[in-house]
Amino acid sequence: LHPIHSNMLLLLLAVLAAAALLAYLRHRGTDIRVRLYHGLSQLVEAYAHMHLPVAGFRRERFEWVIGAVPAESEKEVLCEDLRISSTTSVRIFRDRRLARTDAPAVLVYIHGGGFVLFHNNSAGFHRLARSFAQAAPLVVVSVEYRLAPEHVFPAGIHDVYEALQWCAFGEHPALDLCGPAGSRSLVVAGDSAGGNLASVVTLLAAHGVDANLKPVEKSPKIAHSLLIYPWIFLVPPAIDLPSRVRNRDAFILPTRHLAFFSTAYLGDAAATLAGDMRVCPAAAKSHAGLPPTTVFIASQDPLCDDAHEYVRILQDAGVPVRSLEYPAPHGFFTRPFLSASRDAFAQAIADIRRHALSAL
């Protein structure tokens, strides 16, 4: 067998063995299953983020271990997949009881995965979006954007910005609950690479330009930005950030894998893009006028200082910003069995209520 195939076989056997053990422990009612699941999820995610040459990357080798969830409505939450253009689709979540009288906001969620991995139907992101829809009066629109290396920069930005424009000015029964086009309260949220994209489209909206930096006639007005361990610095000298060295061997996201993701996303143009705010949100000429922002930081993450530096930049620009740091690894926000995840989610809902649902 090829070494990669051998590794995949071993991983499959490990997953099957762990699943059997989890079932047994669940039957016994012991909390050991939580610790075991945490270790298994770390193993799977570490394998999914392995270092490969971009030319040899095959997404299907990894995503089968993550799991995809169909767009099926449940007892309490309606779920629908919708294609809004030739390149962009969204998954919409809303509570069945949600009504216009609840004055709901629209939460635009952008998933992480290094611009390369995962989808809006990946199990962890589906579950998170559903949780947002259940926890507050929100219509959650989870964006499916084009991934690298098949679609390099700025394809993903085009898709996310198009989804943001649709949420602000488009027509759909779920959006209509949030008010007339142009007057909806918008929240933009994203984790990791999705945090980069969330930061970028928030800047585009504030500057009144589209993904090509061309002026637009109508620009979305964002009420709140939610950045979850955002990846802000994609190109050198980002490697000099202390957390890139301090957490270089982090189990879930070691520093060396960032180079693979950034190369896949930026392609041959990487060296010329350091000053482009669509790549590095910190490089924007002005951050004034950005919406109130909440930033979640993982201390055991190579991206820890990306978030700290961006918080400083926002504060210097007079943007209302609140940062919360947790002694946790990259990816903790989508693992609700961790106390850090549960607390961070509660803080996110509180800030969404404060900034986007203040009329309630």
Side-chain angles (χ1 to χ4, degrees), residues 78-309:
L78 295 170
C79 178
E80 174 190 2
D81 281 340
L82 181 69
R83 179 164 290 279
I84 62 173
S85 76
S86 61
T87 62
T88 308
S89 61
V90 296
R91 177 165 286 192
I92 306 169
F93 300 80
R94 63 183 171 97
D95 192 290
R96 287 183 180 272
R97 300 163 296 179
L98 192 67
R100 183 185 288 266
T101 53
D102 296 318
V106 184
L107 188 152
V108 183
Y109 195 84
I110 308 146
H111 69 80
F115 308 99
V116 169
L117 294 171
F118 311 136
H119 302 277
N120 63 355
N121 67 358
S122 297
F125 298 118
H126 175 93
R127 181 176 58 244
L128 178 60
R130 183 188 62 202
S131 297
F132 274 121
Q134 290 180 290
L138 295 168
V139 170
V140 180
V141 177
S142 183
V143 184
E144 177 69 5
Y145 56 91
R146 286 172 289 175
L147 298 174
E150 298 90 342
H151 304 283
V152 297
F153 167 90
I157 298 172
H158 278 276
D159 298 345
V160 173
Y161 184 79
E162 185 173 41
L164 177 61
Q165 282 277 15
W166 181 79
C167 289
F169 304 111
E171 294 184 1
H172 183 274
L175 297 180
D176 293 343
L177 294 174
C178 302
S183 65
R184 297 165 188 149
S185 182
L186 300 174
V187 180
V188 177
D191 66 283
S192 192
N196 175 283
L197 293 170
S199 303
V200 168
V201 297
T202 301
L203 281 164
L204 296 178
H207 288 230
V209 296
D210 63 14
N212 292 320
L213 303 180
K214 304 295 185 183
V216 294
E217 189 174 320
K218 296 187 298 183
S219 189
K221 184 172 176 56
I222 299 170
H224 183 51
S225 177
L226 192 68
L227 307 179
I228 303 165
Y229 28 82
W231 187 5
I232 301 298
F233 299 94
L234 271 63
V235 294
I239 199 66
D240 295 329
L241 291 169
S243 64
R244 300 289 176 90
V245 177
R246 184 174 67 251
N247 296 320
R248 63 183 177 274
D249 295 322
F251 190 63
I252 289 179
L253 180 64
T255 297
R256 65 184 179 275
H257 291 165
L258 297 176
F260 166 73
F261 290 135
S262 61
T263 300
Y265 177 54
L266 301 176
D268 297 334
T272 67
L273 293 171
D276 192 322
M277 72 175 183
R278 296 172 299 170
V279 171
C280 177
K285 293 181 179 178
S286 174
H287 295 83
L290 291 182
T293 301
T294 306
V295 183
F296 293 97
I297 304 170
S299 63
Q300 301 163 18
D301 183 358
L303 303 182
C304 177
D305 287 334
D306 286 62
H308 281 300
E309 182 63 17

Side-chain angles (χ1 to χ4, degrees), residues 14 21 24 28 51-52 54 65 71 98 129 132 135 146 156 185 190 206 236 239 262 311 314 318 342 347:
L21 183 56
Y24 171 74
R28 291 288 302 272
H51 182 62
L52 287 173
V54 173
V65 298
L98 192 67
F132 274 121
R146 286 172 289 175
S185 182
I239 199 66
S262 61
V311 166
L314 295 179
R342 296 192 297 271
Q347 296 292 334

